[in-house]
Amino acid sequence: MTQTIETDVIVLGGGAAGLMCAAVAGARGRRVQVLEKTRRVGKKILMSGGGRCNFTNLYSSPANFRSTNPHYCKSALARYTPADFIALVEAHGIAYHEKERGQLFCDASSKQIVRLLLDECERVGVTVHTEVDIRDVARAQDGSFRVDTAAGVWTGATVVVATGGLSIPKMGASGFGFDLARRFGLAVREPRPALVPFTLAGHERKPFAELSGLGLEVEAHCNDASFDAGMLFTHRGLSGPAMLQVSSYWQTGDAVGVDFLPGVDIGDWLAERRAGRPNARLSTVLAERLPKRLAACLCRDVGAARLGDARLKSLADDELTALAARLADWRFRPDGTEGYRTAEVTIGGVDTDALSSATMAARDVPGLYFIGEVVDVTGHLGGHNFQWAWASANAAGQVV
């Protein structure tokens, strides 16, 4: 006989947003059941930050998020700030540190954040189930929901969808949340991989093939978005924080611009070096500020046989100006990305026009909520996506 469990709130997904929402709702006296399809909750938390979980960012603000509606995230983020989650971390005695640019990590292990969430859920009576394969979610005539699974049936007045996006499928990611939204009549903005390395086709990759593993600080830009961070050459293309950041703004066919010497007036610097070291070769001078292998590679691929690895004294003013402009905006045209396999997040998702920014509720389906990565709100690298998970979960948890 199929087991039927009656409850108030059914949370689909035992990740950061799902567990957080369950704990907040449970603290209000709501009966909450969390259904997670994999064997272990919080898998993305566990692997994040190199196993130490970049759980928030001190400077997280709406400017750090992408959405078709850039105003949508403001309400939730204002009502649950990084300071609020930091207070929770400190209340659980978890030691943490700031790595750079406001990024906060556990001193010891990501497991501590998962444990924090589970302890908060246990404290308020939330029940968490794992290895639950959801077969169907339906709404009854009285407005309640029925969730059919291989393990039984759950019924309740409210369903919160916290199933994440499509990124890193080996951890169980799927399009379940998007499919469910469509079934209930909600629009979904086309999902695609974000915070993901680029791949370069043969003709783009060939000049830099020998640079795999080489990294440096650059300023990268694409479609009016610019990030000053590290770039890494890989055997397939380009990675590192700068590339991951601009990948959220890149569309197929776009070029990615790289300033190899951010903050430097390259034209003035080259002119000074020409005056001071006229017999020095271009690659030698570039190697003063760039890795030697990269300097040599750029000279070979400078795109003008006249320049190549010329001595500085042989370069005319207009040639120096053109070279400086190229070094400040070297264009790569990726042929794609490494896809969901390595993408940290999914951009796109449930259209925010269909949701309340105050509560995350579906406007036309009472009792149905969407939180976290499944929503069309995507943060920059550096702890912002976790902050959205906590903030959107809190917004829903306060009202479900």
Side-chain angles (χ1 to χ4, degrees), residues 352-374:
T352 56
D353 286 348
L355 305 175
S356 162
S357 62
T359 65
M360 310 290 123
R363 298 184 186 280
D364 297 330
V365 188
L368 184 63
Y369 296 75
F370 292 83
I371 61 175
E373 191 180 347
V374 74

Side-chain angles (χ1 to χ4, degrees), residues 62 64-73 189 249 347-348 350-353 375-379 388:
N64 298 113
F65 294 86
R66 282 211 72 189
S67 174
T68 305
N69 176 3
H71 302 291
Y72 179 81
C73 64
R189 297 284 179 173
Y249 296 82
I347 204 166
V350 179
D351 194 335
T352 56
D353 286 348
V375 180
D376 177 29
V377 175
T378 305
W388 171 247

Side-chain angles (χ1 to χ4, degrees), residues 30-330:
R30 303 289 282 164
R31 297 175 300 161
V32 185
Q33 302 266 326
V34 177
L35 310 184
E36 166 58 40
K37 73 173 183 178
T38 67
R39 295 178 60 189
R40 193 174 189 180
V41 298
K43 280 190 171 183
K44 208 162 188 180
I45 298 173
L46 293 169
M47 60 82 67
S48 70
R52 292 191 176 181
C53 189
N54 179 193
F55 57 81
T56 192
N57 190 297
L58 290 171
Y59 309 118
S60 197
S61 76
N64 298 113
F65 294 86
R66 282 211 72 189
S67 174
T68 305
N69 176 3
H71 302 291
Y72 179 81
C73 64
K74 292 180 177 179
S75 176
L77 291 171
R79 287 179 290 130
Y80 195 88
T81 68
D84 292 316
F85 193 75
I86 291 168
L88 186 60
V89 168
E90 292 177 345
H92 283 257
I94 299 173
Y96 63 91
H97 61 279
E98 180 183 355
K99 188 174 181 181
E100 60 179 344
R101 307 183 190 196
Q103 300 172 28
L104 300 187
F105 293 77
C106 299
D107 283 357
S109 170
S110 301
K111 294 177 182 179
Q112 294 173 295
I113 300 299
V114 175
R115 186 71 263 160
L116 175 158
L117 294 168
L118 288 174
D119 286 348
E120 286 291 309
C121 284
E122 184 178 355
R123 181 176 65 83
V124 296
V126 171
T127 304
V128 179
H129 305 268
T130 57
E131 298 185 277
V132 177
D133 183 20
I134 298 172
R135 294 172 172 170
D136 186 46
V137 179
R139 194 157 178 254
Q141 288 187 343
D142 65 0
S144 65
F145 290 88
R146 175 188 172 100
V147 179
D148 285 283
T149 81
V153 175
W154 276 263
T155 62
T158 302
V159 166
V160 180
V161 183
T163 51
L166 294 163
S167 55
I168 317 182
K170 68 179 181 181
M171 294 194 310
S174 75
F176 177 84
F178 304 142
D179 294 339
L180 185 61
R182 294 187 186 100
R183 283 182 50 204
F184 279 96
L186 280 70
V188 175
R189 297 284 179 173
E190 183 179 2
R192 59 184 176 84
L195 300 183
V196 61
F198 289 115
T199 57
L200 298 176
H203 66 284
E204 287 273 2
R205 186 174 70 248
K206 186 177 179 181
F208 302 99
E210 67 191 60
L211 301 181
S212 180
L214 185 149
L216 72 160
E217 293 293 309
V218 302
E219 182 180 289
H221 62 90
C222 183
N223 292 328
D224 299 323
S226 178
F227 297 92
D228 186 359
M231 182 178 86
L232 177 70
F233 289 92
T234 73
H235 70 286
R236 289 169 54 84
L238 302 170
S239 188
M243 294 297 107
L244 300 188
Q245 296 279 40
V246 297
S247 73
S248 295
Y249 296 82
W250 178 83
Q251 298 281 355
T252 301
D254 290 340
V256 173
V258 173
D259 182 348
F260 284 113
L261 295 169
V264 175
D265 188 318
I266 303 174
D268 286 350
W269 174 67
L270 286 173
E272 290 171 3
R273 303 313 289 151
R274 183 180 60 181
R277 300 184 61 193
N279 289 314
R281 292 199 176 275
L282 180 58
S283 63
T284 302
V285 172
L286 292 181
E288 294 177 11
R289 290 181 176 267
L290 297 173
K292 187 175 181 179
R293 282 191 294 155
L294 176 60
C297 211
L298 293 176
C299 285
R300 287 198 302 271
D301 193 46
V302 78
R306 165 74 182 87
L307 297 185
D309 195 12
R311 297 190 188 278
L312 293 187
K313 66 181 181 182
S314 71
L315 302 181
D317 287 348
D318 61 340
E319 290 174 325
L320 279 188
T321 299
L323 176 60
R326 184 148 194 220
L327 290 171
D329 188 18
W330 201 285

